[in-house]
Amino acid sequence: MRKTLLILSILFVVLSVVFSILPLDTLAFLPIGIGLILLFLTFQKSEVPQRKTVKILFAITYICGLVVLGKTFLIKDEIATDQKFEQQKIETKQEAKQELEDLEKDLEGLE
């Protein structure tokens, strides 16, 4: 039973690390929470000399949780406007308007 819990704990710790690195925001708390629960159960099932690995995994999981909290509260998502694109859009509109005016003049000249 201990080995199964330890393997599942390691799996969820790895998922916690991956999710905390990726920009998944608070979704990363899911594997962190499951990992902590499994680690707690593994810690209870382990004898005193076997608890070193579980303590290291606890530390990694807590660090992942802190990283996710830090990313959630400290990093603000901002959208910057692209001035070049806005300028090109205005120029394209002006060119299209000019072409329409030229076409109107050509049509008036044909009538």
Side-chain angles (χ1 to χ4, degrees):
M1 181 72 175
R2 179 190 175 277
K3 284 188 179 186
T4 306
L5 285 172
L6 187 61
I7 290 170
L8 286 172
S9 299
I10 291 171
L11 175 73
F12 276 98
V13 168
V14 169
L15 282 175
S16 299
V17 170
V18 170
F19 276 31
S20 64
I21 292 171
L22 295 174
L24 295 176
D25 250 3
T26 56
L27 185 63
F29 285 122
L30 185 65
I32 291 171
I34 295 171
L36 286 174
I37 292 168
L38 289 172
L39 283 168
F40 180 72
L41 293 173
T42 307
F43 189 78
Q44 284 183 337
K45 297 282 183 188
S46 300
E47 296 175 11
V48 176
Q50 298 172 332
R51 291 183 175 175
K52 185 175 182 178
T53 305
V54 179
K55 288 179 183 179
I56 292 170
L57 293 175
F58 262 124
I60 293 170
T61 308
Y62 283 130
I63 291 170
C64 288
L66 290 174
V67 167
V68 172
L69 277 174
K71 283 172 47 175
T72 302
F73 291 116
L74 299 178
I75 297 176
K76 303 293 180 203
D77 293 333
E78 295 180 7
I79 300 173
T81 57
D82 187 6
Q83 295 298 332
K84 273 187 170 182
F85 177 72
E86 294 296 326
Q87 184 64 29
Q88 287 176 345
K89 203 163 75 171
I90 292 170
E91 290 174 3
T92 304
K93 279 185 182 180
Q94 290 173 348
E95 289 173 7
K97 195 175 190 181
Q98 185 65 33
E99 287 178 14
L100 285 174
E101 289 174 0
D102 291 344
L103 285 174
E104 271 184 20
K105 287 179 185 177
D106 288 344
L107 286 175
E108 286 176 5
L110 291 174
E111 294 176 355

